[in-house]
Amino acid sequence: MTKLFEAPLYPYRRAADQDAPAPVRHPVVIIGAGPVGLAMAIDLAQADVPVVVLDDNDKVSVGSRAICFSKRSLEIFDRLGCGNEMVEKGVVWNLGKVYFGDRQVYNFNLLPEDGHKRPAFINLQQYYCELYLVERIRALQAEGKPVEIRGGNRVENLHRYDDHTLVTVETQDGAYNLEADWLIACDGAGSPTRRMLDLDFVGRVFEDNFLIADVIMKADFPTERWFWFDPPFNKDQSALLHKQPDGVWRIDLQLGWDIDKEEEKKPENVIPRLKQMLGEDVDFDLEWVSIYTFQCRRMEEFRHGRVIFAGDSAHQVSPFGARGANSGFQDADNLGWKLKLVLDGKAPEALLDSYSFERELGADENILQSSRSTDFITPKSEMSRIFRDAVLDLSEHHAFARPLVNSGRLSVPCTYDGSPLNGADDKKLPDRTRPGSPVADAPLSDGWLLDQLGSEFFLLGCGVEVPAGIELNGVPVKGLTVASDEISPELVQRYLGNAAAAVYLIRPDQHVAARWQHYDQDMIEQALDRAIGRGLQ
């Protein structure tokens, strides 16, 4: 791993902008080359939107950091062209086990139904995720796509104007200025961009600390998520174990609030804790250690004129539930197509306000679930602990209690109920694919539904013919017809229910825009106008 950490992926090179007599204007500038910023850049570049990524660093992140990538993130990676690399390297898992003390109280399957291309989760160190995203950008550059990563470029200052943002960038050769029609801040939880604009988070900081340790060891544990409440090796606290590639295991140990973080991170203090958990005879090497505090917070608004925030710069949640990076990828997924339509003049600027509405809704959902998880994992009163422990005891033998156990509700994509972009809804069709919901994958005769959708508006006809391609008011819409005799049981369950036929209008981010039981081009055109924000001004 050390070589990967040390190898510059996008080393500093002097850019032509630094020698220009006046600041050069770019359609999109992204601050931050972490996973969300890189995904955002790929999405825009694939759509032929010129984009420049600025980052003070030039390497992958040190340490595994985000490791749990959800099914929805894998589907986004597929659309971005790097899903296979992630899954082939990652550790695939669907199963989890919950322990109370030294006994297992129950297990769960996060993807109990068949008919999906991707698993519920993979475990993959963040540095590999970043590596594959950078490699995808290099492949796009080789194809002539308009994307650039500038390492060693630290944003020092911003000046916002009505139609652009002036960015001051510091480099080893001195400072230079550039202009961005649209600036996307993906610069992490400590976002310098947020501080420059005098913006802050609102929310909760929980009084508890957790130790993360990545250890390299040979172990025969299955590829499952194991979570302990009050284990014998960490009394009155909690613990979590995950398998990663390359023989690396992630261990989370609850430490409590009143600790010396620097002392707790020292190997001489970490190793005895791990030996208590793993056993004195288990050989392991420490690869990375960190301590984090639960935080569930977000910006009040994600869009500030021509500056838009995504990922951890916009919201923070506690790690249990794997909602941080996964929600950041959904931010990028939501924003890219909207920005493309606005830049092409096919949608009003007001469409970008729907990014704030939808992703703030997603952040609130994540914060709610993470706060509930944190309150269950770390009860703040004796009565709360008594309730928690009673639920755990009951869950061992009684199924009704298991939904009450909360070791981290794991990440699922948000359904944008109430979005101003949602169109017509035939409520006789299945609830899980109502407008605003993420498209549920399903097998087709020649592959998978999500692989057919791409990055454009799409019409899905189940048992009713739809055009293979049309253009409505300058916006292309592709179509796929699945004949009645080719409809799989999964398509029936997820898209038809008791109906004989259905037509779905699907957005470029693979969320349902509208649906009907028959094809009507006038209604489709009305729904498309709504989905691209016409009438929102």
Side-chain angles (χ1 to χ4, degrees), residues 16-32:
D17 289 1
Q18 293 171 255
D19 300 313
V24 176
R25 178 78 69 96
H26 296 272
V28 179
V29 172
I30 296 172
I31 303 176

Side-chain angles (χ1 to χ4, degrees), residues 3 47 80 137 206-208 256 264 410 477:
K3 290 182 180 179
L80 298 181
I137 286 178
F206 293 83
E207 293 186 356
D208 223 319
E264 291 291 349
L410 286 148
V477 181

Side-chain angles (χ1 to χ4, degrees), residues 63-75:
S64 64
R65 299 178 182 269
I67 65 165
C68 295
F69 296 102
S70 69
K71 178 177 181 290
R72 181 64 200 134
S73 291
L74 301 179
E75 292 163 353

